[in-house]
């Protein structure tokens, strides 16, 4: 396995929450507390909030991401948002989230097309992968992760530093309060790191691997203490300034500790 020191990242996926006004207030509060953090901090608000949040965050160190995009640049795709539209507003786009896969029925093939389209417009992609509870019980977790990684990444020509982030989000841990144990999360993140090395070669060592699924201020430090967990994709706790700030602080402490090793 390549030696890796990727950027640490704490990203808040707001999902379909907050009015525009409340979202802008949240962004202002996060900027006030987290600008200049020793780790990368990112927010992923709903599409309707992106331009306003971009203006709030302008000139700060916080990154801005969208929660999804379509696989085409333009055309008759009512209700969809293209990566061309996002490229002027955002840094990143989240693709393959379990709610897109399992609630909204996105296939591996569609996610792969979206990834190529997003990269064509220079967006960094946060690719989410993860098994359902029944897949874990059937002991197919690693096979599911392999399939999701291979299908998403095989159509990409080349990946350079800073173009890709992975997020391991076990579906059974999302929004349930049932966090994967640090050992469970680490086991799958190690597997992801190994596969990324095989699929991407040298650049894989710069790809952060995040954990997501019921991350809170209480469990973040232990998760970040695992050598192959480089940050978190946070849902519910990212809507609360205090909780999200505490998770970022835990990542800062873990980064400082890792640097001393
Ligand atoms: P929760 O933190 O609410 O479990 O959500 C995780 C998630 O899906 C982040 O993308």
């Amino acid at each position: 396995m390549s030696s890796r020191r990727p950027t640490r990242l704490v990203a808040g996926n707001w999902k379909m929450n907050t009015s525009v006004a409340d979202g802008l207030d949240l962004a202002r509060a996060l900027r006030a507390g987290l600008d200049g953090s020793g780790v990368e901090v990112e927010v992923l608000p709903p599409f309707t909030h992106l331009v306003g949040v971009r203006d709030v965050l302008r000139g700060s160190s916080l990154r801005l991401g969208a929660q999804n995009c379509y696989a085409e640049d333009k055309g008759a795709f009512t209700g969809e948002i293209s990566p061309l539209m996002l490229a002027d507003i955002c840094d990143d786009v989240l693709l393959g989230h379990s709610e897109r896969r399992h609630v909204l029925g996105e296939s591996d093939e569609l996610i792969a097309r979206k990834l190529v389209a997003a990269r064509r417009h220079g967006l960094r992609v946060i690719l989410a992968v993860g098994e359902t509870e029944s897949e874990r019980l059937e002991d197919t977790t690693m096979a599911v992760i392999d399939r999701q990684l291979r299908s998403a990444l095989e159509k990409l020509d080349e990946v350079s530093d800073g173009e890709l982030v992975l997020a391991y989000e076990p579906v059974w841990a999302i929004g349930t309060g049932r966090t994967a144990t640090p050992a469970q999360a680490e086991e799958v993140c190690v597997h992801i790191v190994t596969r990324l090395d095989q699929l991407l070669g040298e650049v894989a060592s710069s790809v952060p691997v995040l954990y997501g699924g019921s991350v809170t201020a209480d469990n973040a430090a232990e998760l970040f203490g695992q050598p192959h967990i480089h940050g978190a994709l946070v849902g519910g706790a990212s809507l609360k300034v205090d909780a999200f700030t505490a998770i970022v602080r835990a990542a800062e402490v873990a980064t400082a500790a890792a640097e001393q090793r």
Side-chain angles (χ1 to χ4, degrees), residues 224-239:
F224 295 154
Q226 306 302 309
H228 298 88
I229 298 179
H230 309 123
L233 184 55
V234 185
S238 73
L239 299 168

Side-chain angles (χ1 to χ4, degrees), residues 78 91 113 117 194 233 258:
T78 302
D91 307 298
R113 286 176 49 219
T194 308
L233 184 55

